[in-house]
Amino acid sequence: MQNRERRTNMKVSIDESSCIGCGLCTGTAPEVFELSGSVASVIAQPTAANEAAAREALEACPVDAIHED
Ligand code: SF4
């Protein structure tokens, strides 16, 4: 397999009304999450290369604002 950027089945979204802007997800998976102001958003769905980091962020979010769709 040479395509490291292939998509995974993982799709994430952020409940912006719950997010407290702690920056944990953006620090853990900066290719997937970005802070704009005090709220994080998904800038790109996870790839095979960063799915593990995205899942780690999902599980670590202190307010469970990251959801797998
Ligand atoms: S880890 Fe959760 S609370 Fe923190 S910035 Fe990301 S979505 Fe928001």
Side-chain angles (χ1 to χ4, degrees), residues 17-42:
S17 65
S18 297
C19 174
I20 57 172
C22 72
L24 187 151
C25 60
T26 56
T28 303
E31 296 168 341
V32 178
F33 304 105
E34 183 176 81
L35 264 183
S36 57
S38 59
V39 176
S41 60
V42 175

Side-chain angles (χ1 to χ4, degrees):
M1 292 297 174
Q2 61 189 35
N3 184 359
R4 289 170 300 165
E5 294 299 316
R6 73 185 190 281
R7 294 280 168 182
T8 74
N9 289 327
M10 187 184 189
K11 290 195 180 353
V12 292
S13 61
I14 291 181
D15 177 359
E16 296 183 355
S17 65
S18 297
C19 174
I20 57 172
C22 72
L24 187 151
C25 60
T26 56
T28 303
E31 296 168 341
V32 178
F33 304 105
E34 183 176 81
L35 264 183
S36 57
S38 59
V39 176
S41 60
V42 175
I43 54 171
Q45 289 298 335
T47 65
N50 58 35
E51 179 178 1
R55 193 169 298 282
E56 183 180 333
L58 182 154
E59 292 171 358
C61 174
V63 292
D64 289 333
I66 305 171
H67 301 287
E68 186 168 2
D69 297 334

